Amino acid sequence: MDELFKQLEQIRQFLEQIQNITENQMTILLSDSIEGLDMIEQMAEYKGELTTQLEKVEKEFQALYNEKKEFIHSNDQINNSELKQLKDNVKYILQLKDQVILQEQKNYLLLKEAVDTRNKVKIPKSVDKAVSAVSYTHLTLPTIYSV
């Protein structure tokens, strides 16, 4: 169980970093600063790197969970509080992902609005990548939440 909790902690940390970057991007977008668009693009690139790392840890978590699932459910040594803690951690991570996805969508709309109202602002090349970076729906964690 400790390995599962360790990987969930890594996933949480990656998501919180991505969330912080996304919030910083929104701050820049709301500032109405054309100069900030380059910074948004740099943030999107870094967010893409974090997302790649996040996906790797999630796949490792899923493989480990699949390996230990039968043991978890059939072993009397694993108490209900550990199982509840595992579910709670997964639930928090899923909520965090939903928040990040919603924020990404808002940022995208703000950027589109900036383009529409100014016509002279160009959308950074990687904004679409940034929006899709965390918005993947093939999440492995929901399957675990049903433990």
Side-chain angles (χ1 to χ4, degrees):
M1 289 290 279
D2 288 342
E3 295 170 65
L4 290 171
F5 285 117
K6 181 181 174 190
Q7 286 183 327
L8 283 175
E9 177 61 21
Q10 287 180 314
I11 292 168
R12 183 193 60 77
Q13 289 174 357
F14 279 125
L15 278 170
E16 287 177 349
Q17 286 180 16
I18 291 168
Q19 182 181 40
N20 287 335
I21 293 169
T22 304
E23 288 171 356
N24 290 337
Q25 287 176 313
M26 176 175 248
T27 301
I28 292 169
L29 287 167
L30 291 173
S31 74
D32 232 13
S33 165
I34 293 175
E35 295 80 32
L37 293 178
D38 286 337
M39 192 181 308
I40 288 175
E41 187 169 355
Q42 291 170 355
M43 291 173 160
E45 288 174 17
Y46 181 58
K47 219 170 12 178
E49 293 169 18
L50 289 174
T51 301
T52 300
Q53 294 171 2
L54 170 66
E55 289 173 334
K56 180 180 178 248
V57 175
E58 282 187 337
K59 285 177 185 174
E60 291 169 1
F61 176 86
Q62 184 67 45
L64 182 62
Y65 175 76
N66 287 339
E67 179 184 311
K68 296 191 180 269
K69 182 171 35 176
E70 193 173 313
F71 172 78
I72 290 170
H73 294 290
S74 64
N75 192 330
D76 293 337
Q77 293 178 355
I78 295 180
N79 61 40
N80 286 338
S81 67
E82 282 182 306
L83 196 53
K84 182 182 179 335
Q85 185 181 1
L86 183 68
K87 286 182 179 183
D88 288 347
N89 286 350
V90 170
K91 181 180 178 180
Y92 173 78
I93 286 169
L94 292 174
Q95 290 171 342
L96 190 56
K97 280 187 177 191
D98 287 344
Q99 291 171 8
V100 170
I101 291 168
L102 182 63
Q103 189 64 54
E104 288 285 359
Q105 292 167 344
K106 287 179 182 178
N107 284 358
Y108 184 75
L109 292 175
L110 284 170
L111 190 56
K112 254 180 101 69
E113 183 180 309
V115 169
D116 291 344
T117 57
R118 291 191 206 115
N119 272 342
K120 58 187 173 191
V121 177
K122 98 176 184 171
I123 296 180
K125 295 172 260 178
S126 59
V127 168
D128 287 332
K129 271 196 326 194
V131 170
S132 64
V134 182
S135 312
Y136 53 91
T137 55
H138 60 281
L139 304 176
T140 57
L141 293 174
T143 59
I144 296 147
Y145 188 65
S146 62
V147 236

